[in-house]
Amino acid sequence: MQKILLFIDKVSTWVGQAFSFCIVVLTLHVSWEVFSRYVLDNPRAWAFDFMIMMYGTLFMMAGAYTLSKNSHVRGDVLYGFFRPRTQATIDLTLYFVFFLPGVIALTYAGYYYAADSWRINEHSTITYEGPPIYPFKTVIPLAGAFLLAQGIVEIIRCIVCLKQGVWPSRVVDVEEVDVDKLKQELHVKDEDIQKLDQFVVEQETHK
């Protein structure tokens, strides 16, 4: 079971990392548009449409990745102080009450939303030369499917935590630096840092 959970974690991670390059494309596009508009005096009417599509794609396809890393913002400041079983109980309840109905509706409605867009060969009407938006609308059910799969994994994790009392492991990705752990690995003590700070201050005062 754990291998299946970690495999879906890896899929969500790969998808998130792959679509993260949308931010690179978006940055290059905006930079070129600014140069083209103000230096070459040659703005493109569809530039704004493309920006919206790139940002929307990045936002939607990062959902499953963020969920797999348990990185979505929590509004409950007390959650972190609860025991794992209490956390799992809260998460499991919220997954069934809010997550599953919302994501299933997103995926179901998004499929027909995208299908209609392909059927009519839909283009943006914001500008006179609006680009096709049916590929962008296809992202909606696709992102919903990945998010739903990852959500099922998280539900299983909640059930495992309720049985075992500890959270199952996750696929490790880029994380914030743990200062205390870094100190342990480098064998650095707080006293050493204080002495170094004092030495730097003394050197600065003697200049």
Side-chain angles (χ1 to χ4, degrees):
M1 174 65 72
Q2 181 65 6
K3 290 183 179 180
I4 297 176
L5 301 184
L6 293 178
F7 172 75
I8 297 178
D9 277 352
K10 291 179 180 179
V11 172
S12 296
T13 299
W14 183 86
V15 171
Q17 291 175 344
F19 279 88
S20 68
F21 285 96
C22 287
I23 196 65
V24 178
V25 176
L26 182 58
T27 302
L28 294 175
H29 171 72
V30 172
S31 300
W32 175 255
E33 178 60 23
V34 170
F35 175 79
S36 178
R37 179 181 296 269
Y38 293 104
V39 178
L40 304 180
D41 194 25
N42 183 32
R44 294 166 296 178
W46 53 268
F48 185 68
D49 294 308
F50 186 79
M51 293 177 199
I52 295 175
M53 292 180 188
M54 279 293 99
Y55 181 76
T57 299
L58 174 66
F59 181 83
M60 293 287 290
M61 297 305 295
Y65 168 81
T66 308
L67 185 59
S68 71
K69 301 297 177 279
N70 196 27
S71 297
H72 283 289
V73 177
R74 295 184 182 275
D76 189 353
V77 296
L78 300 177
Y79 179 90
F81 296 100
F82 295 149
R83 294 179 179 179
R85 279 197 173 97
T86 305
Q87 293 177 340
T89 301
I90 295 172
D91 286 355
L92 191 61
T93 302
L94 294 177
Y95 275 121
F96 278 104
V97 174
F98 294 106
F99 179 87
L100 286 180
V103 175
I104 290 174
L106 172 71
T107 308
Y108 179 81
Y111 170 79
Y112 291 101
Y113 195 48
D116 288 341
S117 183
W118 279 89
R119 180 174 53 81
I120 65 176
N121 193 27
E122 186 177 11
H123 283 62
S124 174
T125 57
I126 297 177
T127 59
Y128 69 91
E129 53 179 7
I133 59 177
Y134 43 86
F136 171 64
K137 287 189 176 180
T138 305
V139 170
I140 299 174
L142 189 62
F146 281 118
L147 190 58
L148 181 61
Q150 188 62 48
I152 293 173
V153 168
E154 299 306 316
I155 290 174
I156 295 174
R157 281 198 170 102
C158 290
I159 296 173
V160 172
C161 183
L162 287 173
K163 291 181 178 179
Q164 300 179 355
V166 293
W167 285 106
S169 61
R170 297 175 178 272
V171 172
V172 179
D173 194 20
V174 178
E175 297 180 354
E176 294 182 6
V177 175
D178 188 332
V179 177
D180 293 331
K181 186 176 180 181
L182 186 61
K183 289 179 182 177
Q184 293 177 0
E185 292 178 351
L186 299 177
H187 306 290
V188 176
K189 299 180 180 179
D190 291 336
E191 294 81 3
D192 299 328
I193 297 176
Q194 292 175 358
K195 290 179 181 179
L196 180 60
D197 289 340
Q198 185 178 359
F199 174 76
V200 172
V201 171
E202 291 175 354
Q203 292 295 317
E204 290 293 329
T205 55
H206 285 87
K207 285 185 178 179

